[in-house]
Amino acid sequence: MSHQSSLFDSYSIRRVRPPKNKIGTSAKHDSAISHVMGTATYVDDILKPQGTLHLAVGKSSHAHARVTSMDLSAVKAADGVIDVLSFKDLPAQTDIGAVFDGEPLMVDEITQYVGQTLFLVVATTHRAAKKAVLKAVIEYEPLSAILSVDEALEQKQFVRPSHFMQRGDTDAALANAPNRIAGHIHMLGQEHFYLEGQVSYVVPCDDGGLEVYTSSQHPSEVQQLVAEVTDLPFHAVNTVVRRMGGGFGGKETQAAAWACFCGIIAKRHNVPVSMRLDRQDDMVVTGKRHEFVNRYEVGVDDSGQILGVDMQLAGLCGYAPDLSDAIVDRAMFHCDNAYYYPAAQVAGHRCKTHTVSNTAYRGFGGPQGLMTAEYMMDQIAYTLGKDPLQVRLTNLYQNGQSTHYGQPIEHFDLATIMNTLASDCDYDKRRQQMIKANEQAEAAGSDKRLGIALTPVKFGISFTVQTLNQAGALVHIYTDGSIHLNHGGTEMGQGLFVKIAQIVANEFAVDLDTVKVSATRTDKVPNTSPTAASSGTDINGKAAQNACLTIKARLVEFAAEHFAVAQEDIRFERNHVYIGDKEDFTFAEMVQLAYQHRVSLSSTGYYKTPKIFYNRSKAWGRPFFYFALGAACSEVEIDTLTGEYRVLRCDILHDAGQSINPAIDIGQIEGGFVQGMGWLTTEELTWDKKGTLASNSPANYKIPTSHDLPKQFNVKLYDRKNEEQTIYNSKAVGEPPFMLAASVWCAINNAIASLSDYKKNPELTMPATPEAVLKAVMRMQGEAWEIDTNVNFDALESLTEDEDNCGIDDDKVKPQLVPHATDINPPEVEGQTDDDQPEAIEYPNVAGARGPAHSEPTHSE
């Protein structure tokens, strides 16, 4: 008999109870204890051998300039410095664009944003490298810089061609509509602010390869890029990701550069190399959520029913494409949120600016599209004098309809979810009480106003690049009955590992603690997709299940033949295997017996998402396997004198399908909601007129804290299995809850609207900081926005004058009106559809599709 660890319950105990932590139970996070105790190992915690080198980068101080000279002699002579590299020293591939070219590892001649890498310092310590960077003498020839969406649209500067979606005759629908309403909304970006910053550690191997430890959501992309910049084949580079201290999309593509630097130096000097970005550097040199400037014109009937929508979405992409094509596409996919547009034309522009290239962020453009729809719903309601919830319910999709890009609407329970939530949280009663309380506050001269909003979420689940909708897994069963699992998903605190482990345990009907999940490694599961698009459990869970079913089929076939019973009479239950009514074995005994009879106990698993397709040339298809649904009702109180506010209560009802782990799912819903609330209320990115990030540290960038949580916070899961054949009919919960926070912003908007008796839509910006709320209140009251009655005009001019062009233009210094219902619509944008890299859409630069390593010949050579 094989060894039985004392860490597991004895089989006599396991025999008389169900398996522990089976599917549907709230098993704790696999690293919960080590997280709390601080013993979890992250990349920078790995013990480094003596002689490990450390890196720091020299950064551009100009948004757009020609580097005329770069004197690095003092840098090379600094204490502890071993080596200094610039663009000319790069050994192989120099461009690390994730999908499209255009992202050089270092500046060759022209800088494209403040913080772009000019040179790399290699030193004996992190501190020595950082200090040496400061000794560089760089001279520039400044060039004109584009720093805003409006400037990019005016100058027709785009990182990728514009994309258009159209259904029906929108012009006719608008022309014949009883009511035409135009609106404009400007939403800022968001810093990822993961707890663990960007970091990498590379160890050279004795066979000439590289072992790469990275904090990345996309190990295969890091593997392939490190291979390309070091001129190695992919198999010579192994990427390892045990865990990340948060990612949120910021480590999908933008973790690669630091691993590439470490790989180049590790190969050049044949020693281990470590690199981590300090928080301030991280915030300056990495991309954010895309800022968007959106406008719309909508035609509605007198009941508030939408007849047609004309919408323009313009994303601030930064200097390079990164993932902006797919991000703006997803904003276009979600600019309807949950509402039916009978006629629609949607334009999506990818604006090029001389700022850091913006990148993936939880929701991946979806929130920027969704918030445009929600603001539009508020405007319709207040223009027509209706309850915003009724306008939302009136316009909800119905089963049998289709989206403006052709996806059929099926299994759509959102009306039920919203009505159930409204009933459970007494929306109608509370709304009437608030209207009355606001009237009394007005009569009494009180500065307090209450607001409430109930908003839905419909979020498509799948990568919009079809290639990425695949996953692999590897399962081993050892002869003591313990199980080893590896899959292509990465763990960033979201509980993916424990959910996949529960799936494997469930397939064999064994206790969860007998399943071990190891670090994500490219030498175990190759060509992995990033852990993103909320698809981690969906695709990796199915791949793991596929591997289990293969092994299970072998065991059943063997047992049926060995014991002369029918295969359907063999059952896996309660950590045992039952052979009809003849006899039974512990799971370990059956595995041992199978091993003795030379039955393979290991298998790979694979899964690709079915049904999905999207014809981009026709802007038509089914890009999503299914929609995740949810609704939130939030209540706020604002102070009209100061603009300060409190979130008093939030009720959430979210559809997670048949939940694999309710505790993990509810945690994701709570965390996503709070992060979304931060984007919409407190997190304000501020840039000066030179394109330098001013909000570059925790001291001047405010993320939500425990004090910002709703005073009353109720989260429930909607009890309904997914009608699509996902893993155990569950639904994704990574990104969709982020957009539940729309209810907070709309509740603040509702409180401000009470000042006009709910007959005018406030001009509230995003994020709705206290300053933004106060400005919206004052505009509603017909007052001018002023900082102080005694304005120091000399000081204002010194901060905003064009002479040095470095004042902070953040709408705090000088009064500015928010442009409402107007936007720049460049006449020639429609012609910007030629694609200079069309093959990259069909064959994107993802794992396995980037082509041969640079040391290998191509077919054309």
Side-chain angles (χ1 to χ4, degrees), residues 356-526:
V356 64
S357 183
N358 286 324
T359 190
Y361 199 123
R362 197 175 194 169
F364 203 76
Q368 293 94 313
L370 179 147
M371 285 307 303
T372 307
E374 292 307 320
Y375 187 63
M376 186 171 72
M377 289 298 151
D378 273 0
Q379 188 170 4
I380 293 170
Y382 298 135
T383 301
L384 301 180
K386 297 183 178 296
D387 175 7
L389 177 57
Q390 291 308 313
V391 171
R392 289 180 165 94
L393 290 170
T394 296
N395 285 289
L396 281 184
Y397 278 112
Q398 304 294 320
N399 283 319
Q401 293 176 334
S402 64
T403 64
H404 58 285
Y405 48 89
Q407 172 136 355
I409 297 297
E410 305 167 302
H411 325 302
F412 198 70
D413 281 3
L414 202 42
T416 302
I417 292 173
M418 293 174 70
N419 285 318
T420 301
L421 179 62
S423 175
D424 288 350
C425 71
D426 295 323
Y427 171 86
D428 290 329
K429 179 181 178 181
R430 289 164 60 202
R431 177 173 176 268
Q432 293 304 319
Q433 290 174 341
M434 288 181 202
I435 292 173
K436 185 175 181 180
N438 287 335
E439 291 173 350
Q440 293 173 345
E442 176 72 23
S446 171
D447 299 320
K448 300 292 190 280
R449 295 292 186 277
L450 297 172
I452 190 171
L454 194 157
T455 60
V457 168
K458 172 185 70 64
F459 191 77
I461 304 299
S462 288
F463 288 98
T464 51
V465 176
Q466 188 180 32
T467 305
L468 298 177
N469 293 286
Q470 59 177 307
L474 178 64
V475 173
H476 305 313
I477 303 181
Y478 298 101
T479 54
D480 67 345
S482 62
I483 302 172
H484 179 97
L485 163 66
N486 192 273
H487 58 83
T490 55
E491 176 62 55
M492 61 193 92
Q494 82 278 37
L496 175 65
F497 276 21
V498 70
K499 291 174 79 171
I500 307 296
Q502 283 180 281
I503 291 166
V504 170
N506 190 72
E507 287 301 315
F508 294 108
V510 297
D511 289 352
L512 176 62
D513 56 10
T514 65
V515 180
K516 175 182 176 59
V517 189
S518 61
T520 310
R521 300 176 59 100
T522 55
D523 61 353
K524 282 194 173 182
V525 177

Side-chain angles (χ1 to χ4, degrees), residues 2-296:
S2 185
H3 163 74
Q4 291 297 313
S5 171
S6 63
L7 295 176
F8 305 147
D9 289 342
S10 68
Y11 272 108
S12 60
I13 294 175
R14 288 190 252 180
R15 184 185 190 89
V16 295
R17 60 160 172 77
K20 289 193 296 184
N21 296 314
K22 62 181 182 179
I23 293 298
T25 61
S26 294
K28 70 177 184 293
H29 192 289
D30 57 295
S31 297
I33 293 174
S34 58
H35 284 162
V36 172
M37 296 185 67
T39 56
T41 301
Y42 296 88
V43 174
D44 206 41
D45 298 325
I46 298 172
L47 291 176
K48 317 283 193 310
Q50 188 174 5
T52 297
L53 298 178
H54 299 263
L55 309 181
V57 293
K59 304 185 295 294
S60 165
S61 58
H62 286 257
H64 192 208
R66 178 174 284 102
V67 179
T68 57
S69 69
M70 192 159 60
D71 183 358
L72 303 179
S73 56
V75 178
K76 296 175 181 177
D79 291 342
V81 172
I82 302 298
D83 202 355
V84 178
L85 279 72
S86 59
F87 182 86
K88 68 181 186 321
D89 300 309
L90 296 177
Q93 172 77 322
T94 61
D95 195 299
I96 59 168
V99 182
F100 305 100
D101 293 339
E103 298 182 55
L105 198 53
M106 291 186 194
V107 170
D108 181 11
E109 181 183 359
I110 305 294
T111 70
Q112 298 278 349
Y113 66 93
V114 174
Q116 191 170 13
T117 299
L118 296 174
F119 60 92
L120 183 68
V121 175
V122 185
T124 53
T125 67
H126 174 73
R127 182 174 178 82
K130 290 276 291 181
K131 288 177 69 176
V133 162
L134 302 177
K135 298 180 181 293
V137 179
I138 316 290
E139 294 185 358
Y140 303 87
E141 176 192 335
L143 304 173
S144 61
I146 299 172
L147 300 176
S148 71
V149 169
D150 287 349
E151 290 174 337
L153 288 174
E154 185 177 4
Q155 299 182 39
K156 305 181 185 63
Q157 294 296 308
F158 307 104
V159 296
R160 296 285 302 142
S162 298
H163 187 47
F164 304 89
M165 298 175 181
Q166 185 163 344
R167 174 171 62 187
D169 190 339
T170 304
D171 292 339
L174 292 174
N176 297 326
N179 304 282
R180 293 180 68 166
I181 301 169
H184 175 283
I185 188 165
H186 183 189
M187 56 197 84
L188 296 183
Q190 184 180 17
E191 168 63 38
H192 296 88
F193 219 101
Y194 24 64
L195 288 178
E196 176 201 29
Q198 299 282 4
V199 60
S200 190
Y201 173 54
V202 175
V203 181
C205 304
D206 60 2
D207 60 2
L210 298 172
E211 189 93 350
V212 180
Y213 298 88
T214 177
S215 184
S216 171
Q217 295 169 236
H218 200 347
S220 286
E221 183 173 86
V222 171
Q223 174 200 27
Q224 68 189 28
L225 288 173
V226 170
E228 290 186 354
V229 301
T230 56
D231 196 19
L232 291 171
F234 290 178
H235 74 236
V237 178
N238 180 39
T239 302
V240 183
V241 180
R242 172 57 188 93
R243 60 169 62 84
M244 285 167 274
F248 312 119
K251 296 177 180 177
E252 183 174 346
T253 62
Q254 301 211 355
W258 328 113
C260 288
F261 285 138
C262 289
I264 290 169
I265 301 304
K267 189 181 178 192
R268 183 179 172 105
H269 291 273
N270 199 35
V271 293
V273 179
S274 176
M275 183 179 190
R276 63 177 169 84
L277 297 184
D278 295 339
R279 177 68 63 183
Q280 194 162 357
D281 284 342
D282 196 316
M283 293 182 73
V284 168
V285 305
T286 60
K288 326 295 178 192
R289 178 185 295 282
H290 286 58
E291 178 181 332
F292 266 75
V293 177
N294 300 340
R295 63 123 187 129
Y296 57 84

